[in-house]
């Protein structure tokens, strides 16, 4: 994942901790919740207003992200809550052969 965060920083050309976190979270969730070895595509772009949009596309239209509220003893389940707090908005676009989870900062 460090290589991915570095590539994002190089692409945007400035410090972008929030973008790097969101990329890491979306990709980690995509890898964790689809079949092992399934291709995952990441796209980072700028909207017309200059803000970043991050998209993570995978081939499983069924494995949808769920916003959980982890307890103090849970070892996971906080990433999407943090992404939700950072993002202006986020969502899922489902297709017949996959889905794209996206967020805008």
């Amino acid at each position: 994942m460090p290589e991915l965060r570095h590539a994002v920083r190089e692409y945007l050309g400035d410090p972008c901790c929030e973008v790097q976190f969101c990329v890491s979270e979306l990709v980690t969730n995509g890898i964790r919740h689809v079949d092992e070895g399934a291709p995952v595509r990441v796209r980072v772009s700028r909207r017309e207003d200059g803000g970043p949009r991050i998209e993570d596309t995978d081939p499983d239209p069924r494995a949808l992200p769920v916003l959980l509220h982890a307890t103090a003893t849970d070892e996971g389940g906080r990433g999407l809550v943090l992404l939700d707090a950072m993002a202006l908005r986020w969502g899922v676009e489902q297709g017949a052969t996959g889905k794209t989870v996206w967020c805008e900062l």
Side-chain angles (χ1 to χ4, degrees):
M1 205 63 70
E3 296 87 6
L4 182 57
R5 288 190 296 270
H6 179 74
V8 169
R9 185 172 52 249
E10 289 291 315
Y11 173 73
L12 293 176
D14 57 11
C16 52
C17 295
E18 293 88 359
V19 175
Q20 290 173 295
F21 170 81
C22 291
V23 166
S24 293
E25 181 57 30
L26 292 178
V27 170
T28 298
N29 280 347
I31 292 169
R32 182 176 294 144
H33 298 291
V34 299
D35 293 331
E36 185 175 334
V40 175
R41 186 186 71 196
V42 177
R43 181 172 182 241
V44 177
S45 60
R46 294 227 183 241
R47 301 184 316 272
E48 287 183 18
D49 67 3
R53 177 179 170 101
I54 302 139
E55 300 175 355
D56 176 69
T57 302
D58 67 59
D60 189 345
R62 300 163 295 142
L64 299 177
V66 177
L67 187 60
L68 302 174
H69 296 285
T71 68
T73 58
D74 288 339
E75 292 189 20
R78 292 173 182 80
L80 199 53
V81 172
L82 293 171
L83 182 140
D84 183 63
M86 283 186 215
L88 295 173
R89 60 190 193 127
W90 68 275
V92 181
E93 296 171 2
Q94 285 181 276
T97 60
K99 70 175 171 306
T100 298
V101 182
W102 58 269
C103 71
E104 295 178 349
L105 301 170

